[in-house]
């Protein structure tokens, strides 16, 4: 049986203002409580740690949920009123060699939107350009 893994790692900027450490601790506790209470387990495998220069969000044991993490990042930007976008790349792979079982994606997250680019977009672009893919996909 093959296992499929998702990997990502992204640094979030620290919020501005006073009492940053206390605000971040309260926010982290709130997110952990949501993680434990959510039946969909939307953040299983995703961890975050306070670093000197930001919040490090990353997949743990190759089981991260990229979509859930993008939602977490969006909530973070909203809660701390951080303007601009966060760029995150995602890699996926299979534990056994399989044709086309490695993939990638990227997302830019703002307070208001998530702009995703999946590797499958390349196939759609090729089809629109009239390019026939001749290898197994």
């Amino acid at each position: 049986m093959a296992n499929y893994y998702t990997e990502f790692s992204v640094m979030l900027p620290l919020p501005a203002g006073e009492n940053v450490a206390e605000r971040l601790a309260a926010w982290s506790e709130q997110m952990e409580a949501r993680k434990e209470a959510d039946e969909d387990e939307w953040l299983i495998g995703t961890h975050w740690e306070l670093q000197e220069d930001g919040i490090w969000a990353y997949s743990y044991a190759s089981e991260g949920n990229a979509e859930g993490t993008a939602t977490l990042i969006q909530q973070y930007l909203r809660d701390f009123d951080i303007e601009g976008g966060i760029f995150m790349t995602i890699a996926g792979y299979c534990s056994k060699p399989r044709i086309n079982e490695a993939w990638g994606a990227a997302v830019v997250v703002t307070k208001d939107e998530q702009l995703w680019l999946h590797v499958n977009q390349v196939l759609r672009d090729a089809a629109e350009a009239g390019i026939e893919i001749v290898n197994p996909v």
Side-chain angles (χ1 to χ4, degrees):
M1 184 168 113
N3 295 311
Y4 293 88
Y5 302 106
T6 302
E7 299 279 353
F8 54 84
S9 178
V10 62
M11 187 68 74
L12 309 179
L14 291 174
E18 297 182 21
N19 304 319
V20 171
E22 292 85 4
R23 292 169 45 215
L24 285 172
W27 184 85
S28 184
E29 286 177 20
Q30 178 186 22
M31 291 301 113
E32 282 292 337
R34 284 179 62 182
K35 179 177 166 181
E36 291 175 12
D38 194 339
E39 293 176 7
D40 294 330
E41 300 176 341
W42 65 286
L43 285 177
I44 284 290
T46 301
H47 295 266
W48 51 89
E49 296 177 11
L50 179 60
Q51 302 288 315
E52 190 173 304
D53 54 346
I55 301 285
W56 178 32
Y58 58 95
S59 57
Y60 180 75
S62 304
E63 297 178 353
N65 179 326
E67 291 84 3
T69 300
T71 300
L72 169 78
I73 292 169
Q74 197 163 45
Q75 189 65 50
Y76 178 83
L77 296 174
R78 288 177 183 157
D79 289 350
F80 292 105
D81 196 30
I82 298 173
E83 296 296 330
I86 302 295
F87 176 72
M88 179 174 76
T89 57
I90 302 106
Y93 58 94
C94 181
S95 63
K96 294 184 178 182
R98 302 265 166 96
I99 294 172
N100 290 324
E101 289 297 327
W103 56 270
V107 62
V108 172
V109 180
T110 70
K111 290 191 286 188
D112 300 317
E113 58 188 324
Q114 296 179 19
L115 305 172
W116 284 88
L117 174 64
H118 290 272
V119 71
N120 291 344
Q121 182 63 45
V122 174
L123 292 172
R124 288 190 290 275
D125 292 348
E128 288 177 11
I131 300 169
E132 178 186 356
I133 305 299
V134 296
N135 67 309
V137 179

